[in-house]
Amino acid sequence: MNGDSNAITRDYFDSLLLESRYIDSDLPDTSFELFGEKFETPIMTAALSHLHNICDNAMVEIAKGARDAGAVHWTGMGEKEEFPEIFGTGAKTIRIIKPHADNKEVLWRIEQAVSCGALAVGVDIDHAYAWNGGYDNVLGLPMKPKSTDEIKAFVKAAGIPFVIKGVLSVSDALKCIDAGVSGIVVSHHHGIMNYAVPPLQILPDIVKAVDGRMKIFVDCGVESGMDAYKALALGADAVCVGRAVMKPLEEGCTGVTRKLREMTTELATVMARTGVKKLSEMDSSVIWHRKTF
């Protein structure tokens, strides 16, 4: 494994086993409410960026796919002119912005997202540093870590729900509460740091510390409805799916819709087999940790 955070994360997902609970069970309801909107599934697209050479107009197609699946759509970096078209699809979209060194860059992107009708907006805090020991630079744009006070200013400027992506500690989660954040994405950004703790391993501690004061989403390595179930059972409100929709996206929006629906069907099947009739009944006691015999 050699410190590969993605491999460590996959191994942790696979180490979690489920008990079945059939008596008094029934077909479940996977509907999900977020920031005043209702969705058919808690399985969302991830905040993907610059989806070139996958299919024509891929950033828009993935938004359509999420819309048609009744799912929340997230979007990351893209061309300035793409965003009105993305939001114009009618997909309920959360816009995630990089931690630009110049806060004016962050603020105008917040303003653009709000003016386009974003469901929520937020900042990706874990793209602050590069692998060379300095601050990150993304496509020629300098990045820098953000303070609690800076995040407070972003929250105030947005005026709509604000989300922080890249939280992987109780410490950062509590600072997000102090800043007035509405939700966090528990994530190591597909291995942006080696030996990162798997999101699902630290999730219960974050859930306990947050104590319902903001929404908690999980990103990284969610490949199936079973993976989504495990995250939800451990306390997440919803999950983000990135790489698992890349191949389906080659077909355009129909491929994305099909994949999200397949994952939701698997989620519903596991919910039925474990006696969970609705998402609010998710119970971590169904989870067993595999032991080596």
Side-chain angles (χ1 to χ4, degrees):
M1 224 170 268
N2 296 322
D4 182 342
S5 296
N6 297 313
I8 293 169
T9 294
R10 182 70 260 160
D11 185 65
Y12 193 77
F13 264 115
D14 294 340
S15 75
L16 301 178
L17 311 179
L18 308 180
E19 65 180 46
S20 59
R21 299 176 179 178
Y22 290 109
I23 297 174
D24 296 323
S25 64
D26 203 346
L27 295 178
D29 176 10
T30 63
S31 64
F32 164 63
E33 291 189 16
L34 180 64
F35 303 146
E37 298 285 346
K38 189 169 183 177
F39 301 91
E40 295 176 29
T41 176
I43 301 175
M44 316 177 289
T45 61
L48 300 169
S49 301
H50 295 298
L51 298 175
H52 303 307
N53 304 318
I54 297 179
C55 70
D56 290 339
N57 212 7
M59 293 285 282
V60 173
E61 288 298 300
I62 194 170
K64 292 178 180 178
R67 176 199 65 195
D68 294 345
V72 180
H73 169 248
W74 295 61
T75 190
M77 293 183 78
E79 306 304 325
K80 181 180 179 180
E81 59 273 11
E82 284 181 314
F83 291 106
E85 191 174 357
I86 289 168
F87 287 102
T89 64
K92 301 300 182 181
T93 299
I94 297 176
R95 166 80 159 100
I96 295 297
I97 298 161
K98 294 296 181 205
H100 297 273
D102 184 351
N103 284 341
K104 292 179 181 178
E105 293 286 334
V106 177
L107 290 168
W108 83 254
R109 285 170 172 80
I110 290 174
E111 183 179 359
Q112 181 194 39
V114 173
S115 67
C116 286
L119 176 66
V121 66
V123 169
D124 168 10
I125 59 170
D126 58 13
H127 238 301
Y129 298 103
W131 287 94
N132 62 6
Y135 295 133
D136 204 356
N137 187 293
V138 181
L139 300 176
L141 298 169
M143 304 291 153
K144 199 171 183 181
K146 299 304 172 188
S147 67
T148 304
D149 285 342
E150 286 173 303
I151 293 171
K152 285 180 180 178
F154 298 152
V155 170
K156 182 178 180 180
I160 62 173
F162 199 88
V163 177
I164 292 293
K165 180 176 179 290
V167 172
L168 203 64
S169 66
V170 168
S171 173
D172 276 353
L174 293 176
K175 288 179 180 180
C176 285
I177 291 173
D178 290 343
V181 167
S182 301
I184 56 173
V185 183
V186 181
S187 168
H188 57 56
H189 207 117
H190 197 67
I192 203 166
M193 180 178 73
N194 288 337
Y195 291 102
V197 61
L200 262 60
Q201 188 169 9
I202 199 168
L203 176 62
D205 289 343
I206 291 175
V207 170
K208 183 178 179 180
V210 167
D211 193 25
R213 288 175 285 179
M214 62 184 172
K215 296 295 184 180
I216 301 175
F217 314 118
V218 166
D219 190 20
C220 298
V222 179
E223 299 176 356
S224 65
M226 176 62 82
D227 289 344
Y229 178 96
K230 292 175 181 179
L232 296 168
L234 289 171
D237 292 291
V239 300
C240 298
V241 179
R243 281 161 178 78
V245 299
M246 289 298 91
K247 185 66 176 177
L249 181 57
E250 293 177 4
E251 304 171 39
C253 65
T254 56
V256 174
T257 299
R258 184 185 67 252
K259 180 63 177 178
L260 292 174
R261 285 179 174 166
E262 287 173 352
M263 292 178 69
T264 301
T265 296
E266 183 179 9
L267 169 64
T269 301
V270 183
M271 289 172 67
R273 291 183 181 277
T274 55
V276 178
K277 297 175 185 177
K278 54 186 177 180
L279 297 177
S280 62
E281 295 180 359
M282 281 289 184
D283 180 0
S284 63
S285 69
V286 77
I287 302 260
W288 289 67
H289 292 261
R290 182 176 61 208
K291 296 179 181 180
T292 301
F293 298 97

